[in-house]
Amino acid sequence: VGLRDDISVRTGDRFTDFDLLRIRDEATRWLQDQGYAFAEVEGDADIDSLDNVADLSFLVDAGPIAYIDSIVVEGNESVPQNVIRRELPFREGDRFSASDLLEAERELSALNVFRVAVTDVPDTQRRDSTVTVIVRVREAQPRYVSAETGYARENGLEAQGQWTHRNFF
């Protein structure tokens, strides 16, 4: 499957400025999934409203294919780094993939130990064949209490409570 197959706009579709941004973002994401961590895509549209056509042009600077050289974990207090690293779908030496970074955020959030889990590449990163990935987490409170009340005509007053301890160790 190539980039052309992944683009959501087709010949004959109605074109808007939003479509230009979406195509640019889809192309950038596709390149980043192929290992081009520093890919940049610029787009331009020449619209002829009399003939109802739009001529799209894109300037692509893919940059080098990048491999993960280090993973930096920030924000963990009680959860050890090895637990966080175990949940990541990538390791040092793997080819960069933006989809893997999103998958890491989903995996870490699914643990229910973190309020926030974000993966990122530093803005100051040099455009070369190596990339540093930063994993930022904010731990949730270990204990969580919730309560709900309500009134139903058939059942009358109802109450429900829940207590959760997120770290059983």
Side-chain angles (χ1 to χ4, degrees):
V1 176
L3 172 60
R4 187 178 299 249
D5 297 331
D6 288 347
I7 298 298
S8 61
V9 176
R10 301 284 175 238
T11 301
D13 289 351
R14 183 166 189 239
F15 179 77
T16 65
D17 289 336
F18 178 72
D19 291 325
L20 182 66
L21 294 173
R22 188 174 60 211
I23 294 169
R24 189 193 70 196
D25 290 345
E26 288 172 357
T28 302
R29 175 62 50 126
W30 186 87
L31 287 165
Q32 289 175 340
D33 282 344
Q34 307 310 309
Y36 299 96
F38 308 105
E40 296 176 2
V41 178
E42 295 296 323
D44 190 34
D46 184 21
I47 299 173
D48 183 351
S49 58
L50 293 177
D51 289 332
N52 290 325
V53 294
D55 185 26
L56 306 178
S57 60
F58 294 92
L59 177 63
V60 176
D61 179 7
I65 290 181
Y67 294 86
I68 298 172
D69 72 334
S70 62
I71 300 169
V72 178
V73 178
E74 297 177 350
N76 58 317
E77 296 172 8
S78 63
V79 179
Q81 274 199 25
N82 65 332
V83 171
I84 295 170
R85 287 175 177 268
R86 180 182 66 207
E87 296 300 317
L88 302 178
F90 51 82
R91 304 282 178 260
E92 284 95 351
D94 288 354
R95 182 187 281 204
F96 179 85
S97 171
S99 293
D100 284 350
L101 268 60
L102 289 174
E103 180 63 25
E105 292 176 6
R106 283 192 289 270
E107 292 292 328
L108 290 171
S109 295
L111 292 175
N112 290 326
V113 176
F114 303 108
R115 277 193 299 167
V116 177
V118 178
T119 56
D120 198 9
V121 175
D123 293 335
T124 57
Q125 176 79 40
R126 285 188 13 224
R127 269 187 99 184
D128 61 11
S129 63
T130 60
V131 64
T132 298
V133 174
I134 298 178
V135 179
R136 291 183 180 95
V137 295
R138 176 159 299 148
E139 295 180 14
Q141 295 295 325
R143 288 169 290 286
Y144 176 74
V145 177
S146 67
E148 298 176 11
T149 61
Y151 180 80
R153 193 174 292 174
E154 296 84 28
N155 299 335
L157 185 62
E158 294 182 3
Q160 179 180 357
Q162 181 179 2
W163 180 79
T164 305
H165 195 290
R166 291 188 170 106
N167 187 352
F168 58 90
F169 291 115

